[in-house]
Amino acid sequence: MYTTYRPWGWLDWSLELAPPRLWTFIGCVGPEERSIVAATAFQKRNLLEHAILLRIVEGESPFADLASKYICSRERSCRNAKLRADILQLDLLTSITALDEVCDAASGSVVLDITSLPKRFFFYLLKQFAKNRRVRDLLVTYTSPKGYPEGALAGNYDDWQALPSFRPADPDAEKQAQTRLIVNIGFLPNGLVAHLGGPADERKIDLLIPFPAPAETVRRIWKAVWALRRPTDIRIREVRVAANDLSEAFNVILSLVPEGTGLVSFAPFGPKPISAAMCLYATLTGCPVYYAQPKVYRPNYSIGVARVDGNPAINGYWIKHEGRSLYALPPGLRRLKKRRRRAAAIYGARS
């Protein structure tokens, strides 16, 4: 049986697994209180060599003024913590190539904090850092909130489409992947419901249900599951995965993909650590990832910061250590990947 050790846990425990080093930190300074918690934690531990924080603005939002007020408050908190960071302002729907400047600045030991980064941003960055040989150590961090407000957390959804750089070059491979969809279910997957209610190709869906999770989260997740079950001609299977267990989510994905091809499509609407597992598998295999990007987020998308024994609940996930990737395909899937590469090369030569 294929097994591997992929360490993750509270930030201090994760950092103590390796000798101290200086990190390039990449994250987000956003309206949420938790957006800067990991960055200031690294600053307090004197572990920062360089920090880049993305300040992401929405084009037309009724919350623009309030969001700006909250972000300015977070920036003041960074200064009070003596965190010196390069702040790069980007539009939410900017061309993804705007992130290449961030990717070029990354080498050695990199922390990618996915806490408040929109998925179209963090999927691209995680993919680039995972593939970049100059990045020898890669740690993903995620800070849990104290809770979430009632009601919609986001709105004005874009069309269902592949995330940037996550559409296969071979259309036959994409078509084959589309027959099976793995969904990381969230509170209000409006774009997904609209997609499945139309002429969707997916007829088999595996729902990754975040459990265990707080009771209120479980209630809202099952409400979303009920909304997805309305298209009765789609076969849905539910699989439970702990909301913060990136490593186990990766193992679950390996257990769900078809043995003959390893090709599936992903829809990352739920908890960020589970979505990160989808990103890593898609990076390794070339599987497509689809999303309906919200164009508007509530400034109070989450409430406060969760704490454990008085400390912020920051999880650290080792992705690469001293040049070795801890997230890899088992031998059988590696062979399938090589065959697909040859097929894609033949397709490219004929087209």
Side-chain angles (χ1 to χ4, degrees):
M1 181 179 178
Y2 176 76
T3 59
T4 188
Y5 179 58
R6 310 185 196 97
W8 74 276
W10 300 127
L11 181 61
D12 283 334
W13 180 87
S14 297
L15 291 173
E16 288 170 1
L17 295 176
R21 63 203 67 198
L22 293 178
W23 297 85
T24 296
F25 186 97
I26 294 161
C28 174
V29 53
E32 296 177 280
E33 181 182 347
R34 63 176 177 152
S35 67
I36 61 167
V37 170
T40 56
F42 273 81
Q43 172 62 28
K44 290 175 183 175
R45 290 161 177 78
N46 296 314
L47 294 174
L48 285 183
E49 182 176 44
H50 184 203
I52 301 174
L53 298 179
L54 304 185
R55 191 184 201 271
I56 300 168
V57 297
E58 299 162 13
E60 296 182 6
S61 169
F63 307 116
D65 292 341
L66 185 57
S68 179
K69 177 183 176 181
Y70 286 169
I71 292 174
C72 288
S73 175
R74 307 294 169 242
E75 290 176 342
R76 283 195 300 272
S77 297
C78 288
R79 291 193 294 270
N80 292 338
K82 296 181 171 53
L83 172 62
R84 296 184 181 90
D86 295 332
I87 295 180
L88 179 62
Q89 180 164 309
L90 296 172
D91 186 83
L92 176 63
L93 300 178
T94 191
S95 169
I96 207 67
T97 55
L99 292 176
D100 289 343
E101 176 184 345
V102 178
C103 297
D104 292 341
S107 62
S109 300
V110 174
V111 177
L112 178 62
D113 182 45
I114 65 176
T115 302
S116 293
L117 282 173
K119 293 190 174 82
R120 74 185 302 268
F121 284 77
F122 100 67
F123 264 66
Y124 184 79
L125 289 170
L126 181 53
K127 179 178 182 178
Q128 300 309 312
F129 297 152
K131 293 170 59 179
N132 188 343
R133 293 185 179 180
R134 292 186 294 112
V135 177
R136 294 186 53 77
D137 300 303
L138 178 58
L139 188 74
V140 165
T141 56
Y142 176 76
T143 304
S144 298
K146 191 173 183 179
Y148 294 93
E150 284 292 338
L153 304 180
N156 192 13
Y157 290 81
D158 205 347
D159 295 334
W160 173 272
Q161 56 187 314
L163 285 176
S165 82
F166 284 91
R167 166 159 274 150
D170 183 352
D172 291 335
E174 181 175 21
K175 187 175 181 62
Q176 194 168 23
Q178 286 173 339
T179 62
R180 184 80 169 269
L181 180 66
I182 298 180
V183 176
N184 177 18
I185 190 70
F187 289 163
L188 294 169
N190 298 49
L192 178 60
V193 173
H195 171 70
L196 296 178
D201 294 318
E202 298 87 357
R203 297 295 95 189
K204 295 180 181 179
I205 296 179
D206 292 302
L207 288 184
L208 302 187
I209 309 292
F211 188 86
E216 178 58 24
T217 297
V218 172
R219 180 186 68 82
R220 294 176 74 170
I221 288 293
W222 281 106
K223 184 177 179 181
V225 171
W226 178 255
L228 286 179
R229 282 197 165 277
R230 289 177 184 173
T232 56
D233 60 330
I234 297 177
R235 196 182 83 185
I236 295 178
R237 177 172 55 173
E238 295 148 8
V239 183
R240 295 179 180 181
V241 184
N244 287 337
D245 197 337
L246 195 162
S247 178
E248 181 59 23
F250 190 82
N251 287 339
V252 168
I253 290 169
L254 290 177
S255 73
L256 294 176
V257 298
E259 292 184 3
T261 65
L263 288 172
V264 293
S265 53
F266 293 105
F269 284 84
K272 293 274 185 69
I274 298 176
S275 294
M278 292 178 161
C279 176
L280 291 168
Y281 184 86
T283 297
L284 289 167
T285 60
C287 287
V289 180
Y290 300 101
Y291 194 57
Q293 174 64 50
K295 298 176 186 176
V296 174
Y297 289 94
R298 281 174 61 172
N300 61 333
Y301 184 92
S302 68
I303 300 170
V305 178
R307 292 186 173 272
V308 178
D309 297 330
N311 298 313
I314 309 170
N315 274 311
Y317 306 86
W318 282 92
I319 308 300
K320 293 165 73 173
H321 177 254
E322 295 185 353
R324 175 175 171 254
S325 177
L326 304 179
Y327 286 79
L329 298 176
L333 283 176
R334 288 180 205 162
R335 289 191 290 271
L336 289 172
K337 180 181 176 182
K338 288 180 181 179
R339 287 203 292 269
R340 284 201 302 275
R341 279 181 177 171
R342 289 195 290 269
I346 294 171
Y347 175 83
R350 290 176 179 174
S351 59

